[in-house]
């Protein structure tokens, strides 16, 4: 049995019949490329943008219908779609093989990188003023990850970012953090302030006992070197938790 992604390569499928099935029978509103050329890419719906990324549907289902089905499966939430792995997309939806899943993952990653660059350039010379500014700086690195990552953000005396570093990467529920690595990175940059940031893929914003423990250890270590742990953020797909805002930092 041939995978749906490769139907278009089957020599037995008549080219004219395939074109009719995918394009000819669509109404003008179901031709996203034509709409993009006529009205601009920003006028397309999420369904139409997905259809352009996928390029083709499957036997008996247009690419627009396939895209609509996929969005319906995530309650029309792009953030949930962005959290799905390539393997999950391929396994869950008929008509989505590795090629289409990889194309979607690439488009999502390009969007993330573009947003990070925009925010990084905009905030390059802006001092960090609180938890919200750190959240804006880090959310696109972390909010849709399916595994935990632990980052440290290093600040100058004027609270400008002088460096960011991923300290560790773990599984779904936890990651191991070495305080010595954090402090060495801070000393190498002559940092005055440190902000810890990690994510909870589960969506639960509340800190665990382990989170409290690592926060206290970094806080104590920083004091030895005349540095200050300014905050520890826990980022989820629905927002963040701040140790500073909750009064949990001395």
């Amino acid at each position: 049995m041939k995978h749906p992604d490769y139907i278009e390569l089957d020599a037995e499928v008549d080219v004219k019949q395939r074109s009719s099935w995918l394009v000819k029978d669509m109404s003008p509103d179901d031709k996203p490329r034509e709409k993009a050329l006529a009205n601009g890419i920003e006028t397309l719906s999420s369904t139409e943008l997905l259809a352009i990324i996928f390029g083709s549907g499957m036997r008996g289902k247009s690419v627009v219908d396939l895209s609509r089905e996929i969005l319906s499966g995530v309650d029309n939430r792009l953030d949930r779609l962005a959290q799905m792995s390539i393997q999950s997309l391929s396994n869950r939806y008929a008509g989505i093989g590795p090629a289409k899943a990889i194309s979607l993952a690439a488009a999502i990653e390009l969007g993330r990188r573009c947003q990070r660059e925009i925010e990084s350039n905009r905030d390059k010379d802006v001092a960090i003023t609180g938890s919200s500014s750190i959240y804006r700086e880090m959310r696109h690195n972390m909010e849709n990850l399916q595994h935990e990552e632990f980052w440290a953000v290093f600040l100058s005396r004027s609270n400008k970012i002088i460096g960011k570093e991923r300290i560790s990467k773990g599984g779904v529920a936890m990651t191991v953090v070495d305080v010595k690595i954090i402090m060495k990175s801070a000393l190498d940059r002559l940092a005055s302030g440190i902000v810890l940031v990690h994510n909870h893929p589960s969506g639960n914003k509340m800190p665990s006992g382990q989170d409290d423990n690592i926060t206290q250890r970094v806080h104590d270590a920083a004091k030895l070197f005349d540095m200050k742990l300014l905050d520890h953020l826990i980022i989820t797909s629905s927002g963040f938790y701040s140790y500073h805002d909750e009064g949990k930092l001395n």
Side-chain angles (χ1 to χ4, degrees):
M1 178 179 177
K2 293 183 181 296
H3 195 284
D5 263 3
Y6 303 106
I7 287 177
E8 58 188 285
L9 302 181
D10 192 335
E12 296 180 2
V13 178
D14 183 80
V15 174
K16 292 183 179 179
Q17 181 182 11
R18 185 175 70 248
S19 297
S20 172
W21 155 53
L22 289 175
V23 178
K24 182 180 175 183
D25 294 336
M26 293 183 185
S27 69
D29 288 342
D30 281 340
K31 296 180 180 179
R33 287 189 179 88
E34 286 82 348
K35 288 179 65 176
L37 285 171
N39 305 316
I41 195 75
E42 70 278 1
T43 65
L44 270 60
S45 67
S46 296
T47 296
E48 291 165 331
L49 291 171
L50 273 184
I52 289 177
I53 292 169
F54 292 147
S56 63
M58 57 184 295
R59 192 182 300 278
K61 184 179 293 183
S62 76
V63 66
V64 173
D65 288 335
L66 177 60
S67 301
R68 189 176 292 117
E69 176 187 329
I70 290 170
L71 282 174
S72 177
V74 292
D75 297 326
N76 292 306
R77 287 184 52 177
L78 293 177
D79 60 330
R80 290 185 180 176
L81 184 62
Q83 289 179 309
M84 295 185 68
S85 67
I86 292 170
Q87 192 65 41
S88 296
L89 281 165
S90 300
N91 292 339
R92 183 171 177 179
Y93 298 104
I96 300 297
K100 285 186 173 68
I102 289 170
S103 294
L104 177 58
I108 290 171
E109 180 59 24
L110 276 173
R112 287 188 184 128
R113 294 185 186 188
C114 179
Q115 187 61 40
R116 285 200 296 265
E117 287 186 12
I118 289 171
E119 295 191 357
S120 177
N121 289 331
R122 183 188 64 206
D123 297 334
K124 188 178 294 182
D125 296 320
V126 176
I128 296 299
T129 57
S131 58
S132 293
S133 49
I134 285 289
Y135 175 63
R136 286 195 302 271
E137 181 71 26
M138 298 298 296
R139 62 179 295 190
H140 297 290
N141 293 69
M142 311 181 75
E143 63 184 351
N144 290 317
L145 295 177
Q146 295 181 301
H147 60 272
E148 274 204 13
E149 290 190 0
F150 197 103
W151 287 67
V153 180
F154 305 103
L155 305 179
S156 67
R157 286 196 179 278
S158 56
N159 282 345
K160 292 182 179 179
I161 294 176
I162 56 177
K164 297 184 290 186
E165 185 174 336
R166 185 174 70 183
I167 304 301
S168 64
K169 174 181 175 180
V172 173
M174 64 175 293
T175 183
V176 177
V177 179
D178 190 333
V179 176
K180 294 189 295 295
I181 293 176
I182 297 173
M183 297 314 303
K184 180 181 184 303
S185 296
L187 289 167
D188 287 345
R189 293 172 171 86
L190 299 178
S192 294
I194 303 170
V195 177
L196 305 178
V197 187
H198 81 282
N199 65 308
H200 280 178
S202 66
N204 179 11
K205 288 184 277 193
M206 298 305 296
S208 66
Q210 189 176 32
D211 296 336
D212 291 341
N213 179 264
I214 191 66
T215 303
Q216 189 62 50
R217 289 169 59 204
V218 174
H219 174 272
D220 294 344
K223 286 177 67 176
L224 295 175
F225 296 97
D226 195 28
M227 299 179 193
K228 188 172 183 179
L229 177 62
L230 299 171
D231 207 345
H232 182 174
L233 266 63
I234 299 172
I235 291 179
T236 74
S237 59
S238 61
F240 69 96
Y241 176 96
S242 162
Y243 273 74
H244 177 273
D245 294 352
E246 297 297 326
K248 294 189 68 173
L249 282 176
N250 297 329

